[in-house]
Amino acid sequence: MLDLSSFKGFFGGHRILVTGGAGFIGSWLCDALVELGAKVVCLDNLSSGRVDNIKHLLNSGRFEFVNADVSSWCAGEGFDVIVHGASIPSPEDYMSRPVETLLSNSIGLLKLLENARENGSILLYMSTSEVYGDAAIIPTPETYYGYVNPIGLRSCYDESKRFGEALCMAYFRQYNVDVRIARIFNSYGPRLDVNARYARVVPRFILQALRNEPITVHGDGRQTRSFTYITDTVAALVMMLAKDTVRGEVLNVGNPKETSILELAEKIIKLTGSSSKIVFTEPRPDDPRRRCPDIRRAKELIGWEPKVQLEEGLKYTIEWFRKCV
Ligand code: UDP
């Protein structure tokens, strides 16, 4: 992980709300913020987050867990910083719960923006590379408008994140709320949900490999993703909070190294020493063909770029899965 200790001065004593704080990215962010001296309130309805991800923080004097849904929760207090990460990130999961997915990024976010407006808080919105849909420009810069089907199966996620970004910018322009938007590309690492039904591609392939089961590559496996190790993702979020250069800005947070799904499957088989064979299954509907960020803006505005190479990050993740599964 990048050394973030120079930001202690900024976070020390700050009261920070992290929605989705028991999820994968949220829980790693809570770890970093507590470590940096902040007082963290973690809000999560545990619909995809897990207490296991945060249980080591529960006895820290600077961490509080609230089990509630952001769309119906009443804060009753203000925060110095709000990070909105509550959402259902796994495609199979959000496609089966589209209404809930839409509400967290609309009504939930609206409540948080109102809270930020009343209390003069910074609000960081965890958006997604999915706002670009099936991007025609690779690597994709923040200026690309996106190619998204508003009524497609994935629209509950990508359109609600697009609405969320528009709402943040409206609060920035109309009410001068200090909003910051991170478009997060596929992040991976320990604590990813292993629930076989909804697991993302990295945990799914690792589990299949560790059990010597077939690795299920959807379609021809030539679709690409850009995988960012979790500590790199969290470092970018921390830097976005601490640096005023990103007020009212949107930044791609992702690894500029593009990897095909077939290549990922082969790497995981090699690194686990598995006897699994690759099988090609039905393509997933509306699956974006390529995903890769242009991160020049993040480099320029916050001096961030990922440090952990895919093989190294996969090794850490596999190690964790071996112990936990
Ligand atoms: N994928 C796959 N086999 C699986 C699960 C996923 O080939 O068992 C592919 C999926 O079709 C997509 C990529 O891996 O092209 C990433 O899928 P994931 O669910 O991690 O999230 P996405 O990036 O699509 O949001």
Side-chain angles (χ1 to χ4, degrees), residues 201 205 208-209 215-217 227 259-272 274 276-279 314:
V201 67
F205 284 2
Q208 290 170 337
I215 308 275
T216 53
V217 168
F227 296 101
T259 304
S260 79
I261 296 305
L262 193 55
E263 215 181 317
L264 176 76
E266 285 160 353
K267 266 192 202 310
I268 289 176
I269 290 175
K270 191 177 126 219
L271 292 170
T272 50
S274 169
S276 293
K277 298 278 171 282
I278 290 171
V279 295
L314 284 177

mmCIF file with all atom_site columns, all heavy atoms in Angstrom, residues 201 205 208-209 215-217 227 259-272 274 276-279 314:
data_model
loop_
_atom_site.group_PDB
_atom_site.id
_atom_site.type_symbol
_atom_site.label_atom_id
_atom_site.label_alt_id
_atom_site.label_comp_id
_atom_site.label_asym_id
_atom_site.label_entity_id
_atom_site.label_seq_id
_atom_site.pdbx_PDB_ins_code
_atom_site.Cartn_x
_atom_site.Cartn_y
_atom_site.Cartn_z
_atom_site.occupancy
_atom_site.B_iso_or_equiv
_atom_site.pdbx_formal_charge
_atom_site.auth_seq_id
_atom_site.auth_comp_id
_atom_site.auth_asym_id
_atom_site.auth_atom_id
_atom_site.pdbx_PDB_model_num
ATOM 1   N N   . VAL A 1 201 ? -15.619 -12.019 -11.069 1.00 0.00 ? 201 VAL A N   1
ATOM 2   C CA  . VAL A 1 201 ? -14.808 -12.966 -11.824 1.00 0.00 ? 201 VAL A CA  1
ATOM 3   C C   . VAL A 1 201 ? -13.557 -13.435 -11.062 1.00 0.00 ? 201 VAL A C   1
ATOM 4   O O   . VAL A 1 201 ? -13.230 -14.636 -11.091 1.00 0.00 ? 201 VAL A O   1
ATOM 5   C CB  . VAL A 1 201 ? -14.452 -12.406 -13.226 1.00 0.00 ? 201 VAL A CB  1
ATOM 6   C CG1 . VAL A 1 201 ? -13.515 -11.210 -13.151 1.00 0.00 ? 201 VAL A CG1 1
ATOM 7   C CG2 . VAL A 1 201 ? -13.871 -13.486 -14.098 1.00 0.00 ? 201 VAL A CG2 1
ATOM 8   N N   . PHE A 1 205 ? -13.110 -17.395 -10.206 1.00 0.00 ? 205 PHE A N   1
ATOM 9   C CA  . PHE A 1 205 ? -12.074 -18.212 -10.843 1.00 0.00 ? 205 PHE A CA  1
ATOM 10  C C   . PHE A 1 205 ? -11.134 -18.799 -9.778  1.00 0.00 ? 205 PHE A C   1
ATOM 11  O O   . PHE A 1 205 ? -10.696 -19.942 -9.898  1.00 0.00 ? 205 PHE A O   1
ATOM 12  C CB  . PHE A 1 205 ? -11.269 -17.387 -11.850 1.00 0.00 ? 205 PHE A CB  1
ATOM 13  C CG  . PHE A 1 205 ? -11.990 -17.130 -13.159 1.00 0.00 ? 205 PHE A CG  1
ATOM 14  C CD1 . PHE A 1 205 ? -13.286 -17.581 -13.373 1.00 0.00 ? 205 PHE A CD1 1
ATOM 15  C CD2 . PHE A 1 205 ? -11.347 -16.447 -14.196 1.00 0.00 ? 205 PHE A CD2 1
ATOM 16  C CE1 . PHE A 1 205 ? -13.948 -17.341 -14.579 1.00 0.00 ? 205 PHE A CE1 1
ATOM 17  C CE2 . PHE A 1 205 ? -11.998 -16.213 -15.406 1.00 0.00 ? 205 PHE A CE2 1
ATOM 18  C CZ  . PHE A 1 205 ? -13.295 -16.645 -15.590 1.00 0.00 ? 205 PHE A CZ  1
ATOM 19  N N   . GLN A 1 208 ? -12.901 -21.717 -8.134  1.00 0.00 ? 208 GLN A N   1
ATOM 20  C CA  . GLN A 1 208 ? -12.984 -22.850 -9.061  1.00 0.00 ? 208 GLN A CA  1
ATOM 21  C C   . GLN A 1 208 ? -11.621 -23.520 -9.170  1.00 0.00 ? 208 GLN A C   1
ATOM 22  O O   . GLN A 1 208 ? -11.509 -24.749 -9.136  1.00 0.00 ? 208 GLN A O   1
ATOM 23  C CB  . GLN A 1 208 ? -13.463 -22.365 -10.436 1.00 0.00 ? 208 GLN A CB  1
ATOM 24  C CG  . GLN A 1 208 ? -14.924 -21.934 -10.434 1.00 0.00 ? 208 GLN A CG  1
ATOM 25  C CD  . GLN A 1 208 ? -15.356 -21.220 -11.722 1.00 0.00 ? 208 GLN A CD  1
ATOM 26  O OE1 . GLN A 1 208 ? -14.521 -20.660 -12.447 1.00 0.00 ? 208 GLN A OE1 1
ATOM 27  N NE2 . GLN A 1 208 ? -16.650 -21.223 -11.993 1.00 0.00 ? 208 GLN A NE2 1
ATOM 28  N N   . ALA A 1 209 ? -10.574 -22.707 -9.245  1.00 0.00 ? 209 ALA A N   1
ATOM 29  C CA  . ALA A 1 209 ? -9.220  -23.262 -9.392  1.00 0.00 ? 209 ALA A CA  1
ATOM 30  C C   . ALA A 1 209 ? -8.817  -24.023 -8.126  1.00 0.00 ? 209 ALA A C   1
ATOM 31  O O   . ALA A 1 209 ? -8.267  -25.129 -8.209  1.00 0.00 ? 209 ALA A O   1
ATOM 32  C CB  . ALA A 1 209 ? -8.228  -22.144 -9.688  1.00 0.00 ? 209 ALA A CB  1
ATOM 33  N N   . ILE A 1 215 ? -13.127 -23.861 -14.963 1.00 0.00 ? 215 ILE A N   1
ATOM 34  C CA  . ILE A 1 215 ? -13.156 -22.393 -14.896 1.00 0.00 ? 215 ILE A CA  1
ATOM 35  C C   . ILE A 1 215 ? -14.132 -21.925 -15.977 1.00 0.00 ? 215 ILE A C   1
ATOM 36  O O   . ILE A 1 215 ? -13.919 -22.188 -17.169 1.00 0.00 ? 215 ILE A O   1
ATOM 37  C CB  . ILE A 1 215 ? -11.753 -21.792 -15.194 1.00 0.00 ? 215 ILE A CB  1
ATOM 38  C CG1 . ILE A 1 215 ? -10.685 -22.437 -14.310 1.00 0.00 ? 215 ILE A CG1 1
ATOM 39  C CG2 . ILE A 1 215 ? -11.767 -20.278 -15.123 1.00 0.00 ? 215 ILE A CG2 1
ATOM 40  C CD1 . ILE A 1 215 ? -10.506 -21.865 -12.950 1.00 0.00 ? 215 ILE A CD1 1
ATOM 41  N N   . THR A 1 216 ? -15.188 -21.233 -15.538 1.00 0.00 ? 216 THR A N   1
ATOM 42  C CA  . THR A 1 216 ? -16.277 -20.878 -16.456 1.00 0.00 ? 216 THR A CA  1
ATOM 43  C C   . THR A 1 216 ? -16.042 -19.519 -17.111 1.00 0.00 ? 216 THR A C   1
ATOM 44  O O   . THR A 1 216 ? -16.362 -18.480 -16.550 1.00 0.00 ? 216 THR A O   1
ATOM 45  C CB  . THR A 1 216 ? -17.611 -20.823 -15.682 1.00 0.00 ? 216 THR A CB  1
ATOM 46  O OG1 . THR A 1 216 ? -17.426 -19.932 -14.553 1.00 0.00 ? 216 THR A OG1 1
ATOM 47  C CG2 . THR A 1 216 ? -18.029 -22.193 -15.190 1.00 0.00 ? 216 THR A CG2 1
ATOM 48  N N   . VAL A 1 217 ? -15.485 -19.538 -18.310 1.00 0.00 ? 217 VAL A N   1
ATOM 49  C CA  . VAL A 1 217 ? -15.262 -18.284 -19.040 1.00 0.00 ? 217 VAL A CA  1
ATOM 50  C C   . VAL A 1 217 ? -16.510 -17.999 -19.883 1.00 0.00 ? 217 VAL A C   1
ATOM 51  O O   . VAL A 1 217 ? -16.913 -18.823 -20.703 1.00 0.00 ? 217 VAL A O   1
ATOM 52  C CB  . VAL A 1 217 ? -14.005 -18.399 -19.938 1.00 0.00 ? 217 VAL A CB  1
ATOM 53  C CG1 . VAL A 1 217 ? -13.917 -17.233 -20.908 1.00 0.00 ? 217 VAL A CG1 1
ATOM 54  C CG2 . VAL A 1 217 ? -12.753 -18.475 -19.073 1.00 0.00 ? 217 VAL A CG2 1
ATOM 55  N N   . PHE A 1 227 ? -7.828  -4.761  -13.843 1.00 0.00 ? 227 PHE A N   1
ATOM 56  C CA  . PHE A 1 227 ? -7.986  -5.160  -12.444 1.00 0.00 ? 227 PHE A CA  1
ATOM 57  C C   . PHE A 1 227 ? -7.056  -4.358  -11.548 1.00 0.00 ? 227 PHE A C   1
ATOM 58  O O   . PHE A 1 227 ? -5.845  -4.329  -11.749 1.00 0.00 ? 227 PHE A O   1
ATOM 59  C CB  . PHE A 1 227 ? -7.717  -6.654  -12.300 1.00 0.00 ? 227 PHE A CB  1
ATOM 60  C CG  . PHE A 1 227 ? -8.709  -7.494  -13.055 1.00 0.00 ? 227 PHE A CG  1
ATOM 61  C CD1 . PHE A 1 227 ? -8.390  -8.044  -14.296 1.00 0.00 ? 227 PHE A CD1 1
ATOM 62  C CD2 . PHE A 1 227 ? -9.982  -7.714  -12.544 1.00 0.00 ? 227 PHE A CD2 1
ATOM 63  C CE1 . PHE A 1 227 ? -9.316  -8.797  -15.003 1.00 0.00 ? 227 PHE A CE1 1
ATOM 64  C CE2 . PHE A 1 227 ? -10.914 -8.464  -13.244 1.00 0.00 ? 227 PHE A CE2 1
ATOM 65  C CZ  . PHE A 1 227 ? -10.575 -9.009  -14.481 1.00 0.00 ? 227 PHE A CZ  1
ATOM 66  N N   . THR A 1 259 ? -6.541  -6.628  -19.309 1.00 0.00 ? 259 THR A N   1
ATOM 67  C CA  . THR A 1 259 ? -6.318  -8.084  -19.293 1.00 0.00 ? 259 THR A CA  1
ATOM 68  C C   . THR A 1 259 ? -7.565  -8.786  -19.821 1.00 0.00 ? 259 THR A C   1
ATOM 69  O O   . THR A 1 259 ? -8.682  -8.453  -19.409 1.00 0.00 ? 259 THR A O   1
ATOM 70  C CB  . THR A 1 259 ? -6.072  -8.554  -17.832 1.00 0.00 ? 259 THR A CB  1
ATOM 71  O OG1 . THR A 1 259 ? -4.973  -7.817  -17.294 1.00 0.00 ? 259 THR A OG1 1
ATOM 72  C CG2 . THR A 1 259 ? -5.750  -10.038 -17.754 1.00 0.00 ? 259 THR A CG2 1
ATOM 73  N N   . SER A 1 260 ? -7.386  -9.759  -20.707 1.00 0.00 ? 260 SER A N   1
ATOM 74  C CA  . SER A 1 260 ? -8.573  -10.487 -21.175 1.00 0.00 ? 260 SER A CA  1
ATOM 75  C C   . SER A 1 260 ? -8.981  -11.504 -20.109 1.00 0.00 ? 260 SER A C   1
ATOM 76  O O   . SER A 1 260 ? -8.160  -11.941 -19.289 1.00 0.00 ? 260 SER A O   1
ATOM 77  C CB  . SER A 1 260 ? -8.295  -11.187 -22.509 1.00 0.00 ? 260 SER A CB  1
ATOM 78  O OG  . SER A 1 260 ? -7.569  -12.379 -22.279 1.00 0.00 ? 260 SER A OG  1
ATOM 79  N N   . ILE A 1 261 ? -10.236 -11.887 -20.146 1.00 0.00 ? 261 ILE A N   1
ATOM 80  C CA  . ILE A 1 261 ? -10.759 -12.817 -19.136 1.00 0.00 ? 261 ILE A CA  1
ATOM 81  C C   . ILE A 1 261 ? -10.098 -14.192 -19.294 1.00 0.00 ? 261 ILE A C   1
ATOM 82  O O   . ILE A 1 261 ? -9.818  -14.886 -18.312 1.00 0.00 ? 261 ILE A O   1
ATOM 83  C CB  . ILE A 1 261 ? -12.302 -12.883 -19.235 1.00 0.00 ? 261 ILE A CB  1
ATOM 84  C CG1 . ILE A 1 261 ? -12.894 -11.505 -18.889 1.00 0.00 ? 261 ILE A CG1 1
ATOM 85  C CG2 . ILE A 1 261 ? -12.887 -13.966 -18.346 1.00 0.00 ? 261 ILE A CG2 1
ATOM 86  C CD1 . ILE A 1 261 ? -12.488 -10.930 -17.548 1.00 0.00 ? 261 ILE A CD1 1
ATOM 87  N N   . LEU A 1 262 ? -9.794  -14.544 -20.546 1.00 0.00 ? 262 LEU A N   1
ATOM 88  C CA  . LEU A 1 262 ? -9.107  -15.815 -20.784 1.00 0.00 ? 262 LEU A CA  1
ATOM 89  C C   . LEU A 1 262 ? -7.704  -15.795 -20.154 1.00 0.00 ? 262 LEU A C   1
ATOM 90  O O   . LEU A 1 262 ? -7.276  -16.754 -19.492 1.00 0.00 ? 262 LEU A O   1
ATOM 91  C CB  . LEU A 1 262 ? -9.013  -16.042 -22.297 1.00 0.00 ? 262 LEU A CB  1
ATOM 92  C CG  . LEU A 1 262 ? -8.607  -17.435 -22.753 1.00 0.00 ? 262 LEU A CG  1
ATOM 93  C CD1 . LEU A 1 262 ? -9.513  -18.497 -22.163 1.00 0.00 ? 262 LEU A CD1 1
ATOM 94  C CD2 . LEU A 1 262 ? -8.664  -17.515 -24.291 1.00 0.00 ? 262 LEU A CD2 1
ATOM 95  N N   . GLU A 1 263 ? -7.022  -14.677 -20.353 1.00 0.00 ? 263 GLU A N   1
ATOM 96  C CA  . GLU A 1 263 ? -5.678  -14.516 -19.767 1.00 0.00 ? 263 GLU A CA  1
ATOM 97  C C   . GLU A 1 263 ? -5.764  -14.600 -18.233 1.00 0.00 ? 263 GLU A C   1
ATOM 98  O O   . GLU A 1 263 ? -4.914  -15.214 -17.582 1.00 0.00 ? 263 GLU A O   1
ATOM 99  C CB  . GLU A 1 263 ? -5.213  -13.111 -20.147 1.00 0.00 ? 263 GLU A CB  1
ATOM 100 C CG  . GLU A 1 263 ? -3.765  -12.920 -20.426 1.00 0.00 ? 263 GLU A CG  1
ATOM 101 C CD  . GLU A 1 263 ? -3.537  -11.431 -20.769 1.00 0.00 ? 263 GLU A CD  1
ATOM 102 O OE1 . GLU A 1 263 ? -4.328  -10.820 -21.525 1.00 0.00 ? 263 GLU A OE1 1
ATOM 103 O OE2 . GLU A 1 263 ? -2.564  -10.880 -20.239 1.00 0.00 ? 263 GLU A OE2 1
ATOM 104 N N   . LEU A 1 264 ? -6.795  -13.979 -17.660 1.00 0.00 ? 264 LEU A N   1
ATOM 105 C CA  . LEU A 1 264 ? -6.978  -14.018 -16.206 1.00 0.00 ? 264 LEU A CA  1
ATOM 106 C C   . LEU A 1 264 ? -7.152  -15.465 -15.747 1.00 0.00 ? 264 LEU A C   1
ATOM 107 O O   . LEU A 1 264 ? -6.520  -15.912 -14.777 1.00 0.00 ? 264 LEU A O   1
ATOM 108 C CB  . LEU A 1 264 ? -8.207  -13.185 -15.807 1.00 0.00 ? 264 LEU A CB  1
ATOM 109 C CG  . LEU A 1 264 ? -8.548  -13.229 -14.323 1.00 0.00 ? 264 LEU A CG  1
ATOM 110 C CD1 . LEU A 1 264 ? -7.579  -12.367 -13.519 1.00 0.00 ? 264 LEU A CD1 1
ATOM 111 C CD2 . LEU A 1 264 ? -9.984  -12.747 -14.069 1.00 0.00 ? 264 LEU A CD2 1
ATOM 112 N N   . ALA A 1 265 ? -7.987  -16.224 -16.472 1.00 0.00 ? 265 ALA A N   1
ATOM 113 C CA  . ALA A 1 265 ? -8.231  -17.622 -16.110 1.00 0.00 ? 265 ALA A CA  1
ATOM 114 C C   . ALA A 1 265 ? -6.917  -18.403 -16.137 1.00 0.00 ? 265 ALA A C   1
ATOM 115 O O   . ALA A 1 265 ? -6.601  -19.169 -15.213 1.00 0.00 ? 265 ALA A O   1
ATOM 116 C CB  . ALA A 1 265 ? -9.247  -18.233 -17.075 1.00 0.00 ? 265 ALA A CB  1
ATOM 117 N N   . GLU A 1 266 ? -6.128  -18.170 -17.188 1.00 0.00 ? 266 GLU A N   1
ATOM 118 C CA  . GLU A 1 266 ? -4.857  -18.906 -17.312 1.00 0.00 ? 266 GLU A CA  1
ATOM 119 C C   . GLU A 1 266 ? -3.894  -18.544 -16.185 1.00 0.00 ? 266 GLU A C   1
ATOM 120 O O   . GLU A 1 266 ? -3.227  -19.407 -15.608 1.00 0.00 ? 266 GLU A O   1
ATOM 121 C CB  . GLU A 1 266 ? -4.228  -18.622 -18.686 1.00 0.00 ? 266 GLU A CB  1
ATOM 122 C CG  . GLU A 1 266 ? -4.948  -19.380 -19.800 1.00 0.00 ? 266 GLU A CG  1
ATOM 123 C CD  . GLU A 1 266 ? -4.703  -18.793 -21.196 1.00 0.00 ? 266 GLU A CD  1
ATOM 124 O OE1 . GLU A 1 266 ? -4.071  -17.717 -21.299 1.00 0.00 ? 266 GLU A OE1 1
ATOM 125 O OE2 . GLU A 1 266 ? -5.166  -19.428 -22.173 1.00 0.00 ? 266 GLU A OE2 1
ATOM 126 N N   . LYS A 1 267 ? -3.839  -17.272 -15.851 1.00 0.00 ? 267 LYS A N   1
ATOM 127 C CA  . LYS A 1 267 ? -2.946  -16.822 -14.763 1.00 0.00 ? 267 LYS A CA  1
ATOM 128 C C   . LYS A 1 267 ? -3.353  -17.485 -13.439 1.00 0.00 ? 267 LYS A C   1
ATOM 129 O O   . LYS A 1 267 ? -2.502  -17.940 -12.673 1.00 0.00 ? 267 LYS A O   1
ATOM 130 C CB  . LYS A 1 267 ? -3.062  -15.305 -14.571 1.00 0.00 ? 267 LYS A CB  1
ATOM 131 C CG  . LYS A 1 267 ? -2.030  -14.500 -15.321 1.00 0.00 ? 267 LYS A CG  1
ATOM 132 C CD  . LYS A 1 267 ? -2.048  -13.062 -14.825 1.00 0.00 ? 267 LYS A CD  1
ATOM 133 C CE  . LYS A 1 267 ? -1.482  -12.082 -15.815 1.00 0.00 ? 267 LYS A CE  1
ATOM 134 N NZ  . LYS A 1 267 ? -0.200  -12.378 -16.395 1.00 0.00 ? 267 LYS A NZ  1
ATOM 135 N N   . ILE A 1 268 ? -4.648  -17.527 -13.177 1.00 0.00 ? 268 ILE A N   1
ATOM 136 C CA  . ILE A 1 268 ? -5.117  -18.070 -11.897 1.00 0.00 ? 268 ILE A CA  1
ATOM 137 C C   . ILE A 1 268 ? -4.842  -19.583 -11.832 1.00 0.00 ? 268 ILE A C   1
ATOM 138 O O   . ILE A 1 268 ? -4.430  -20.105 -10.798 1.00 0.00 ? 268 ILE A O   1
ATOM 139 C CB  . ILE A 1 268 ? -6.606  -17.710 -11.670 1.00 0.00 ? 268 ILE A CB  1
ATOM 140 C CG1 . ILE A 1 268 ? -6.703  -16.200 -11.385 1.00 0.00 ? 268 ILE A CG1 1
ATOM 141 C CG2 . ILE A 1 268 ? -7.220  -18.534 -10.538 1.00 0.00 ? 268 ILE A CG2 1
ATOM 142 C CD1 . ILE A 1 268 ? -8.095  -15.642 -11.235 1.00 0.00 ? 268 ILE A CD1 1
ATOM 143 N N   . ILE A 1 269 ? -5.015  -20.267 -12.953 1.00 0.00 ? 269 ILE A N   1
ATOM 144 C CA  . ILE A 1 269 ? -4.697  -21.703 -12.968 1.00 0.00 ? 269 ILE A CA  1
ATOM 145 C C   . ILE A 1 269 ? -3.217  -21.899 -12.643 1.00 0.00 ? 269 ILE A C   1
ATOM 146 O O   . ILE A 1 269 ? -2.841  -22.733 -11.817 1.00 0.00 ? 269 ILE A O   1
ATOM 147 C CB  . ILE A 1 269 ? -5.050  -22.326 -14.350 1.00 0.00 ? 269 ILE A CB  1
ATOM 148 C CG1 . ILE A 1 269 ? -6.567  -22.365 -14.522 1.00 0.00 ? 269 ILE A CG1 1
ATOM 149 C CG2 . ILE A 1 269 ? -4.461  -23.736 -14.478 1.00 0.00 ? 269 ILE A CG2 1
ATOM 150 C CD1 . ILE A 1 269 ? -7.036  -22.835 -15.883 1.00 0.00 ? 269 ILE A CD1 1
ATOM 151 N N   . LYS A 1 270 ? -2.382  -21.066 -13.268 1.00 0.00 ? 270 LYS A N   1
ATOM 152 C CA  . LYS A 1 270 ? -0.935  -21.187 -13.052 1.00 0.00 ? 270 LYS A CA  1
ATOM 153 C C   . LYS A 1 270 ? -0.568  -20.876 -11.592 1.00 0.00 ? 270 LYS A C   1
ATOM 154 O O   . LYS A 1 270 ? 0.151   -21.633 -10.934 1.00 0.00 ? 270 LYS A O   1
ATOM 155 C CB  . LYS A 1 270 ? -0.207  -20.245 -14.013 1.00 0.00 ? 270 LYS A CB  1
ATOM 156 C CG  . LYS A 1 270 ? 1.284   -20.472 -14.081 1.00 0.00 ? 270 LYS A CG  1
ATOM 157 C CD  . LYS A 1 270 ? 1.925   -19.562 -15.108 1.00 0.00 ? 270 LYS A CD  1
ATOM 158 C CE  . LYS A 1 270 ? 3.041   -18.800 -14.433 1.00 0.00 ? 270 LYS A CE  1
ATOM 159 N NZ  . LYS A 1 270 ? 3.199   -17.426 -14.815 1.00 0.00 ? 270 LYS A NZ  1
ATOM 160 N N   . LEU A 1 271 ? -1.090  -19.774 -11.079 1.00 0.00 ? 271 LEU A N   1
ATOM 161 C CA  . LEU A 1 271 ? -0.685  -19.348 -9.733  1.00 0.00 ? 271 LEU A CA  1
ATOM 162 C C   . LEU A 1 271 ? -1.205  -20.271 -8.629  1.00 0.00 ? 271 LEU A C   1
ATOM 163 O O   . LEU A 1 271 ? -0.624  -20.349 -7.549  1.00 0.00 ? 271 LEU A O   1
ATOM 164 C CB  . LEU A 1 271 ? -1.164  -17.910 -9.463  1.00 0.00 ? 271 LEU A CB  1
ATOM 165 C CG  . LEU A 1 271 ? -0.479  -16.818 -10.283 1.00 0.00 ? 271 LEU A CG  1
ATOM 166 C CD1 . LEU A 1 271 ? -1.186  -15.489 -10.117 1.00 0.00 ? 271 LEU A CD1 1
ATOM 167 C CD2 . LEU A 1 271 ? 0.994   -16.680 -9.862  1.00 0.00 ? 271 LEU A CD2 1
ATOM 168 N N   . THR A 1 272 ? -2.318  -20.952 -8.879  1.00 0.00 ? 272 THR A N   1
ATOM 169 C CA  . THR A 1 272 ? -2.847  -21.869 -7.857  1.00 0.00 ? 272 THR A CA  1
ATOM 170 C C   . THR A 1 272 ? -2.305  -23.279 -8.055  1.00 0.00 ? 272 THR A C   1
ATOM 171 O O   . THR A 1 272 ? -2.506  -24.152 -7.198  1.00 0.00 ? 272 THR A O   1
ATOM 172 C CB  . THR A 1 272 ? -4.393  -21.951 -7.936  1.00 0.00 ? 272 THR A CB  1
ATOM 173 O OG1 . THR A 1 272 ? -4.751  -22.196 -9.295  1.00 0.00 ? 272 THR A OG1 1
ATOM 174 C CG2 . THR A 1 272 ? -5.052  -20.681 -7.438  1.00 0.00 ? 272 THR A CG2 1
ATOM 175 N N   . SER A 1 274 ? -3.482  -25.340 -10.187 1.00 0.00 ? 274 SER A N   1
ATOM 176 C CA  . SER A 1 274 ? -4.717  -26.126 -10.277 1.00 0.00 ? 274 SER A CA  1
ATOM 177 C C   . SER A 1 274 ? -4.728  -27.055 -11.492 1.00 0.00 ? 274 SER A C   1
ATOM 178 O O   . SER A 1 274 ? -4.038  -26.799 -12.486 1.00 0.00 ? 274 SER A O   1
ATOM 179 C CB  . SER A 1 274 ? -5.876  -25.135 -10.389 1.00 0.00 ? 274 SER A CB  1
ATOM 180 O OG  . SER A 1 274 ? -7.057  -25.785 -10.716 1.00 0.00 ? 274 SER A OG  1
ATOM 181 N N   . SER A 1 276 ? -7.620  -27.476 -12.970 1.00 0.00 ? 276 SER A N   1
ATOM 182 C CA  . SER A 1 276 ? -8.871  -27.050 -13.631 1.00 0.00 ? 276 SER A CA  1
ATOM 183 C C   . SER A 1 276 ? -8.681  -26.868 -15.126 1.00 0.00 ? 276 SER A C   1
ATOM 184 O O   . SER A 1 276 ? -7.619  -26.426 -15.574 1.00 0.00 ? 276 SER A O   1
ATOM 185 C CB  . SER A 1 276 ? -9.331  -25.703 -13.065 1.00 0.00 ? 276 SER A CB  1
ATOM 186 O OG  . SER A 1 276 ? -9.723  -25.810 -11.743 1.00 0.00 ? 276 SER A OG  1
ATOM 187 N N   . LYS A 1 277 ? -9.751  -27.150 -15.864 1.00 0.00 ? 277 LYS A N   1
ATOM 188 C CA  . LYS A 1 277 ? -9.765  -26.871 -17.314 1.00 0.00 ? 277 LYS A CA  1
ATOM 189 C C   . LYS A 1 277 ? -10.697 -25.685 -17.553 1.00 0.00 ? 277 LYS A C   1
ATOM 190 O O   . LYS A 1 277 ? -11.655 -25.480 -16.797 1.00 0.00 ? 277 LYS A O   1
ATOM 191 C CB  . LYS A 1 277 ? -10.324 -28.085 -18.090 1.00 0.00 ? 277 LYS A CB  1
ATOM 192 C CG  . LYS A 1 277 ? -9.482  -29.350 -17.937 1.00 0.00 ? 277 LYS A CG  1
ATOM 193 C CD  . LYS A 1 277 ? -8.291  -29.329 -18.898 1.00 0.00 ? 277 LYS A CD  1
ATOM 194 C CE  . LYS A 1 277 ? -7.299  -30.444 -18.642 1.00 0.00 ? 277 LYS A CE  1
ATOM 195 N NZ  . LYS A 1 277 ? -6.380  -30.219 -17.493 1.00 0.00 ? 277 LYS A NZ  1
ATOM 196 N N   . ILE A 1 278 ? -10.398 -24.945 -18.628 1.00 0.00 ? 278 ILE A N   1
ATOM 197 C CA  . ILE A 1 278 ? -11.267 -23.813 -18.960 1.00 0.00 ? 278 ILE A CA  1
ATOM 198 C C   . ILE A 1 278 ? -12.448 -24.315 -19.779 1.00 0.00 ? 278 ILE A C   1
ATOM 199 O O   . ILE A 1 278 ? -12.272 -25.093 -20.718 1.00 0.00 ? 278 ILE A O   1
ATOM 200 C CB  . ILE A 1 278 ? -10.462 -22.768 -19.755 1.00 0.00 ? 278 ILE A CB  1
ATOM 201 C CG1 . ILE A 1 278 ? -9.438  -22.117 -18.810 1.00 0.00 ? 278 ILE A CG1 1
ATOM 202 C CG2 . ILE A 1 278 ? -11.373 -21.726 -20.392 1.00 0.00 ? 278 ILE A CG2 1
ATOM 203 C CD1 . ILE A 1 278 ? -8.433  -21.228 -19.485 1.00 0.00 ? 278 ILE A CD1 1
ATOM 204 N N   . VAL A 1 279 ? -13.672 -23.893 -19.395 1.00 0.00 ? 279 VAL A N   1
ATOM 205 C CA  . VAL A 1 279 ? -14.834 -24.200 -20.241 1.00 0.00 ? 279 VAL A CA  1
ATOM 206 C C   . VAL A 1 279 ? -15.475 -22.871 -20.667 1.00 0.00 ? 279 VAL A C   1
ATOM 207 O O   . VAL A 1 279 ? -15.490 -21.910 -19.899 1.00 0.00 ? 279 VAL A O   1
ATOM 208 C CB  . VAL A 1 279 ? -15.895 -25.071 -19.514 1.00 0.00 ? 279 VAL A CB  1
ATOM 209 C CG1 . VAL A 1 279 ? -15.373 -26.435 -19.177 1.00 0.00 ? 279 VAL A CG1 1
ATOM 210 C CG2 . VAL A 1 279 ? -16.441 -24.377 -18.274 1.00 0.00 ? 279 VAL A CG2 1
ATOM 211 N N   . LEU A 1 314 ? -2.855  -11.003 -7.333  1.00 0.00 ? 314 LEU A N   1
ATOM 212 C CA  . LEU A 1 314 ? -3.542  -12.303 -7.360  1.00 0.00 ? 314 LEU A CA  1
ATOM 213 C C   . LEU A 1 314 ? -2.940  -13.239 -6.325  1.00 0.00 ? 314 LEU A C   1
ATOM 214 O O   . LEU A 1 314 ? -3.654  -13.999 -5.664  1.00 0.00 ? 314 LEU A O   1
ATOM 215 C CB  . LEU A 1 314 ? -3.455  -12.924 -8.754  1.00 0.00 ? 314 LEU A CB  1
ATOM 216 C CG  . LEU A 1 314 ? -4.380  -12.329 -9.819  1.00 0.00 ? 314 LEU A CG  1
ATOM 217 C CD1 . LEU A 1 314 ? -4.127  -12.984 -11.177 1.00 0.00 ? 314 LEU A CD1 1
ATOM 218 C CD2 . LEU A 1 314 ? -5.858  -12.468 -9.437  1.00 0.00 ? 314 LEU A CD2 1
#
